[in-house]
Amino acid sequence: MANRLAINRPGFSSLILSEALIHNGLVYTSGKLGVNANTGVLVSDDVAEQTKAVLGLLESVLREAGSGLDKILKCNIYLANINDFLAMNEVCMTPDVTALYYNIINKVVRIKLGDRASAPLYLHSANLEEMIQHAMKGDWDEFAKVYKKPIRSLSDRVDGIAICAILAHKVAKKLFDDSSAARVPLFHIADCLALHITNNHPSVKKLGLLGPKISMLDSDDPDFFVAMLQKAGFEILIPETPEDIEEVNRGMLQEVAKGVASVTDSTRKMFVQQAKKLVNRGAQGIILGSTDLGFVLRQEDIGDIPLFEPAAIHAQELGIWICEGGEDESP
């Protein structure tokens, strides 16, 4: 057993195994299931959700060992049903917002319409770096141009359009009030989120929001994210001090936006702390203002207070709307 160091997450105990061993500079982890870290119960019957949970557990163990997901050399994956490979693989290999939307929409369609069904979709993937640069300069006209041409080209071929990012909804009114750009309805992410919370968590009225500073602070824009949730009857809490807001914004833009592998342990703890501060101020749920933030801040980090992932909810509602034939103007 020389030169071997056992590694476990804080609070983990087992009489028969360690979560990881370090030997000759390599970390060997034990197998993980898609369970809640605190209860040991499967997070969901959904393979994608189980995969997210597995990645979260692995990330925690590797962090304890001084390593990370970005340093993995080899990983064995065992599936009970090979038909679940696509759902698992899209989470493991491409955890970006485009893949998330495509996966969830088609998962809903397959559940409702059959295993061979797929959603009729056109996808346009915008350059995140370009959008961030325009947003940081406050140049929303240039930001809108990123979307204007693809929206205009799609309008004659589709029954509705969804913009798959919270920040991009800052220019939604500009795009959809311009008849030269859009001639079909927009399925606004805030509308879908409000509908989901109202239907599934009717007692939740006060929500905490963690995300880029622009999304958190711009409540004066009546057509943007926070104001639309407020119009739907929700109270929105954001980090209380300017210092906390800047720290969350730094974590979002400099680490989370680059992917979960770029998020340091100190930044992950910062997000957990900020979420708990919001809960202590009365938040009944936490909105994750970024798709990748769901890989950093997890349900078990804040107990029974629900975490809401707007992108996942948006995609689910879109899948339902597609299955219903696109008869209504909103999901």
Side-chain angles (χ1 to χ4, degrees), residues 166 193 197 207-210 225 229 236 285-289 308 310:
I166 291 175
L193 178 61
I197 297 173
L207 298 164
L209 171 63
L210 295 174
F225 189 69
L229 289 174
I236 306 299
I286 301 296
I287 300 171
L288 303 181
F308 297 112

Side-chain angles (χ1 to χ4, degrees), residues 228-300:
M228 291 192 68
L229 289 174
Q230 290 171 334
K231 283 190 289 186
F234 297 100
E235 180 182 351
I236 306 299
L237 302 178
I238 63 172
E240 196 166 18
T241 69
E243 292 77 16
D244 283 348
I245 290 172
E246 289 298 334
E247 183 62 10
V248 169
N249 189 60
R250 181 207 62 78
M252 293 298 306
L253 297 184
Q254 296 184 18
E255 297 188 30
V256 175
K258 298 177 182 178
V260 65
S262 298
V263 179
T264 62
D265 184 44
S266 61
T267 293
R268 193 193 77 83
K269 290 179 179 177
M270 178 273 294
F271 279 114
V272 173
Q273 182 184 44
Q274 291 295 338
K276 289 181 176 179
K277 284 183 178 181
L278 292 171
V279 172
N280 290 338
R281 289 167 53 202
Q284 299 167 296
I286 301 296
I287 300 171
L288 303 181
S290 162
T291 304
D292 286 332
L293 192 52
F295 291 95
V296 179
L297 183 61
R298 298 181 293 273
Q299 184 64 63
E300 57 263 31

Side-chain angles (χ1 to χ4, degrees), residues 14 57 82 85 96 110 120 128 142 157 190 213-214 223 230 239-240 247 249 260 263 286 298 315 329:
S14 172
L57 291 171
I82 192 60
F85 175 80
D96 54 76
R110 287 195 297 268
L128 177 61
E142 288 300 313
R157 291 181 281 170
K213 181 166 63 174
I214 295 169
D223 301 298
Q230 290 171 334
E240 196 166 18
E247 183 62 10
N249 189 60
V260 65
V263 179
I286 301 296
R298 298 181 293 273
E329 289 195 353

